Structures are given as C-alpha cells and as structure tokens.
Amino acid sequence: MRQKIYFVLALAFVVLLLSNIADAGNLNAPMQSLMSKYLKDSGGKAFSADDGKKLYFLKRMHSKKKEEISCTSCHMDDPAKAGRTPVGKPIDPLSPATNKERFADPEKVEKWFKRNCTGVFERECTPKEKGDFITFMMSLQ
Amino acid sequence: MKIEKTFLAIGILILSLMINTSVFADKDEEGERHGRHEKHEKGGRHEGEGRAIVVENAAYKSECSSCHFLYPPEFLPKRSWEALMKGSDKHFGENLALDDKTGKEILSYLTGNSAERGSSEWAGKILKSIGSSAPLRITEVPYILKEHRKIKPDVFKRKSIGSFSNCGSCHTGAAQGDYEEDSVSIPKE
C-alpha cells in the first residue's frame, strides 16, 4: 500500500517536472536567454507562476488616471481572449495558448513590459516580476 | 397622365431646390467659419481630391497602431506632433519606450506630413479651426468636433467602436485616406 502511494507521488512529481520543462521548452532560445538574464538580475530566485498570476490580477489606483487599473483592464481576466486598449482598439490575445506570437521576441517583450508596467504600476517592473509574469503566461498553454 | 407628369416635374423641382439649399447652407457655414473657400493644392501626393495621406511609415505603424488608430499626420499641426513626441515618455500616462532612432524617425514622418503640408481639404480646415493652439488630441480639434456634433456620445461607446478616437470603425475608407461622409458606415452595435 505504502509503496503504491510512493509510486503515485513519484509519478506525479515526474509529470510536474516534465510539464515545467515543457513550459520552458516552449520559449524559443532568445526568450530563454532573456529569462536567464532576468533570473541572474533577480538574484537567482526561481520564478513563480503564482506570483505572475498575482501581478496580472493586481488592481491599483493610478495616481494620474484616477482609476483602478490592472493588466486585466486591457488584457481581460482571461488572457486567452482578445483585449481592448483604453481607447477601445482590439488587442490580440496575450496568452500564448491562443496567440503563438506572444513571448517570442525579447525586444518586443521588453518594450511592452516597459510601456505597460509604467502604464499600470507607474514604474518599471523588476526582473523577478517579468520572469514570474512570463512563467505564468507560459503555464496557461 | 398629364397631371401626373406635372406633379412629377414639380416634385423634382422642389427636391432639387432642397438639395441645392442644403449644399449652399453648408457652404455658407463653412464660409463664415473659415473665410471664403480655399483650395489646397500642394503637390500630388493624394490619389484624389478629399483624400488624406495614406499612412505608410513602418515605424509609426508598428509603434503607434497597437494602441490606437493610425491618425493621418495631416490631422494635427507640426507643433502638436513636436509636443507629442517630446513627451513620448509620458504619452497620456504611458511611457512609449521609444529608442532615439525610432522616435526621430516617427517625428520626422509626422512633422513632414503635418496639417501645414497636407493637401486634403481637411488639413486646411483643421489648421484654421485650431488657430494658434497646439492640441494634443485629434479628438479635441474644433473642426473635427464640429463635423461629429450630430452623433450622440453613446454611439461612440458601442462595442465595435469603443471611443471617438477609433476613426476607422465608422470611416470605412480611412486606411486609404478617405474620410468623406459617403464612406461612413456607423456600426449598430
């Protein structure tokens, strides 16, 4: 009986490990090296999809826009769906599950982190936050 | 039969009078606001009269159109584009994070084709309507507001329109520089 439980646990662990590797594997080489850079710049602390998720849903009052905003204001609660910019222009889905072009070009990723972190949090995001965010997005596939 | 024809003739006469009157009324109104008619014939950049420039600049397209409609550069004066690009790190609450080269390229495209240089009828009307001010929003240009005055604010909130700044939602020829009333189609939802 006990052996069986161990076996199941071990199997679950392997599956979990494999799925993590698969997630990371979905990032192309340039993106993986961007992730390595984030990791190095954030002191080597492992990224967490959960923290990325929290960041994605974090609502805050913008001091100048005078309204509560979050990533979801434009990218929706479900990032697999199309979003809308503040002026109502459609945004292609952010989730790589429905949009393979996402998180594929480091330059683009960096540009949009810079734009949108400032737009929502009124500051740039830390390397840890960026790594968490991408880890969360990649886990949605 | 003869009576019918007479009625038809009178009908056509009245109709044509009505059309003429409305055209003249519009012209008078324009005349009042902007002085007598002016023709803007500067170069042959445009396909036909009443066309704005077709936006072709790659940097402007890729950096600006993700968030909003690709406004024709001739819808704002040079001084407005200069102010906008100078403040590109504080663009209505967003940092556009443009590198120097890209920023300069966009600025030179926008100022090189601004309202002062535009040859569409709208460029001249926009310039006159703003006087010496430097509006940062095309949606606040008096001439553009005037042209849309009959559209209820709720219409712009329709899902497929989103806001007053999404010109292309109703101006179906906008991508070709066509903002004529004839090519407007307002989505119902």
Side-chain angles (χ1 to χ4, degrees), chain A residues 62 65 84-85 87-90 111-112 114-116 118-119, chain B residues 63 65-68 93-97 159 162-163 165-166:
Chain A
H62 193 286
K65 295 174 188 168
R84 282 168 89 75
T85 73
V87 294
K89 191 168 175 169
K111 184 177 88 181
W112 285 103
K114 198 165 178 188
R115 276 188 183 174
N116 293 347
T118 332
Chain B
E63 296 298 332
S65 73
S66 305
C67 294
H68 57 71
E94 314 289 330
N95 181 354
L96 302 186
K159 212 180 166 206
S163 75
S165 62
N166 279 331

Side-chain angles (χ1 to χ4, degrees), chain A residues 98-116:
Chain A
T98 42
N99 185 359
K100 296 290 166 211
E101 283 175 32
R102 294 300 189 187
F103 308 103
D105 177 353
E107 220 173 276
K108 223 171 158 181
V109 167
E110 273 289 274
K111 184 177 88 181
W112 285 103
F113 269 134
K114 198 165 178 188
R115 276 188 183 174
N116 293 347

Side-chain angles (χ1 to χ4, degrees), chain B residues 90-152:
Chain B
K90 294 176 193 76
H91 189 75
F92 307 109
E94 314 289 330
N95 181 354
L96 302 186
L98 299 174
D99 60 65
D100 264 6
K101 187 174 160 274
T102 313
K104 274 181 190 152
E105 190 190 332
I106 296 173
L107 176 67
S108 102
Y109 173 71
L110 294 172
T111 55
N113 295 282
S114 64
E116 291 90 339
R117 297 193 177 200
S119 60
S120 74
E121 58 172 303
W122 306 298
K125 287 176 178 171
I126 286 168
L127 266 188
K128 286 209 167 180
S129 81
I130 60 177
S132 59
S133 68
L136 296 181
R137 295 175 193 266
I138 289 177
T139 50
E140 286 171 3
V141 168
Y143 170 71
I144 289 174
L145 285 171
K146 179 188 152 240
E147 289 298 302
H148 295 86
R149 67 193 181 280
K150 287 179 187 158
I151 299 163
K152 295 195 176 82

Side-chain angles (χ1 to χ4, degrees), chain A residues 31-43:
Chain A
M31 279 304 294
Q32 286 195 29
S33 64
L34 180 70
M35 286 296 265
S36 308
K37 189 177 173 292
Y38 288 157
L39 195 67
K40 197 173 141 240
D41 292 348
S42 57

